[in-house]
Amino acid sequence: MSRAGRCAVLPGERAVEAVLFDLDGTLLDTAPDLVGALNVLRVEAGLEAAPVDEFRPYVSQGALGLIRAGLPACGPQEEARRRLRFLEWYEAHSLDHTAPFPGVESMLARLEEAGVPWAVVTNKPTFLTLPLLDALGWQDRAGAVVCGDTLSVSKPDPAPVLHACETLGVAPARSAMVGDDPRDLDAGEAAGALSILVSFGYGAASILASGRALEAVVDSPGAVLDYVPACREAAAAGSATPGSAPP
């Protein structure tokens, strides 16, 4: 079945008034720094450092997902030690090579120009999330930031999505949850939001290969705007203005 055949919602079929974004693998390419932290552990364990692309598909699974994929199995005490070491190194190096995916900055700007609120809903802990948002100048622009430890539960539980919607003052049914991991889609669907998969994200390939029924898939950040009526209307108005540049 084609990708289009598996998508249940087409642009214009849902009135999306707010957009919630996962962080790693959706807005930001954090793989170089996260795999860098894994490689510190690998070298300390007597293994060779691995290319970033080898472990890129595991990045959305967080520190433990990367550790379990990239190191030999171990007991709970050693795993806890590895996680602490991983986070210690990553906290000091999280901005070394991390950057927004191409097109993300312009997408966020167009949401803001159209008056559409957006939020970050991530499983990344607060102490790692806020420095990234501060460095990018996004913390004051986002209408809500829900981290993995903001509530007592995280994605795939719908509570973080519901919390972000409440903070933005938008009904979940009029919001979209954009992400690259099954937990993003599960949380969005359970909350009643439109779940949009970004095909360029870390976990997208396995989701697409699984045959999972999907509400929506986009191949670029800008394509998210097709699901937001205010952005489509702004683009149409701009293209209709004599002498205006195309959107």
Side-chain angles (χ1 to χ4, degrees):
M1 183 181 294
S2 69
R3 180 186 302 175
R6 292 210 310 271
C7 294
V9 180
L10 298 175
E13 293 183 345
R14 291 276 293 270
V16 173
E17 298 175 358
V19 186
L20 319 179
F21 295 98
D22 175 49
L23 195 60
D24 300 70
T26 300
L27 292 179
L28 294 181
D29 184 6
T30 55
D33 295 326
L34 284 163
V35 177
L38 173 64
N39 276 332
V40 168
L41 293 180
R42 285 177 60 86
V43 170
E44 290 176 352
L47 303 172
E48 291 185 359
V52 171
D53 285 346
E54 182 175 346
F55 289 100
R56 188 180 294 272
Y58 300 94
V59 167
S60 290
Q61 298 178 23
L64 282 179
L66 277 166
I67 289 168
R68 289 168 181 170
L71 290 167
C74 64
Q77 286 189 326
E78 173 60 13
E79 186 168 85
R81 185 202 68 79
R82 288 175 177 179
R83 181 177 182 273
L84 287 175
R85 175 68 173 127
F86 181 105
L87 294 176
E88 176 188 58
W89 190 93
Y90 177 67
E91 183 180 14
H93 296 272
S94 64
L95 292 163
D96 286 1
H97 304 290
T98 286
F101 284 106
V104 163
E105 289 282 13
S106 60
M107 173 196 64
L108 296 178
R110 288 181 62 185
L111 285 171
E112 292 166 352
E113 289 165 5
V116 177
W118 61 275
V120 171
V121 181
T122 177
N123 281 0
K124 211 178 190 79
T126 301
F127 80 98
L128 294 175
T129 300
L130 296 188
L132 288 173
L133 299 184
D134 282 339
L136 293 163
W138 289 358
Q139 187 172 355
D140 292 337
R141 294 167 59 188
V145 176
V146 184
C147 302
D149 53 358
T150 299
L151 306 176
S152 61
V153 294
S154 58
K155 299 175 295 185
D157 193 286
V161 174
L162 296 172
H163 182 71
C165 290
E166 182 179 4
T167 302
L168 296 178
V170 176
R174 292 184 173 272
S175 70
M177 177 67 221
V178 183
D180 70 300
D181 187 84
R183 293 171 296 181
D184 303 321
L185 305 183
D186 292 344
E189 291 170 6
L194 172 64
S195 289
I196 301 177
L197 174 69
V198 292
S199 66
F200 54 85
Y202 305 137
S206 62
I207 295 173
L208 292 169
S210 73
R212 171 175 176 155
L214 301 168
E215 291 189 318
V217 183
V218 296
D219 295 328
S220 68
V224 171
L225 304 176
D226 294 339
Y227 289 87
V228 185
C231 293
R232 294 201 313 274
E233 292 164 6
S239 63
T241 302
S244 65

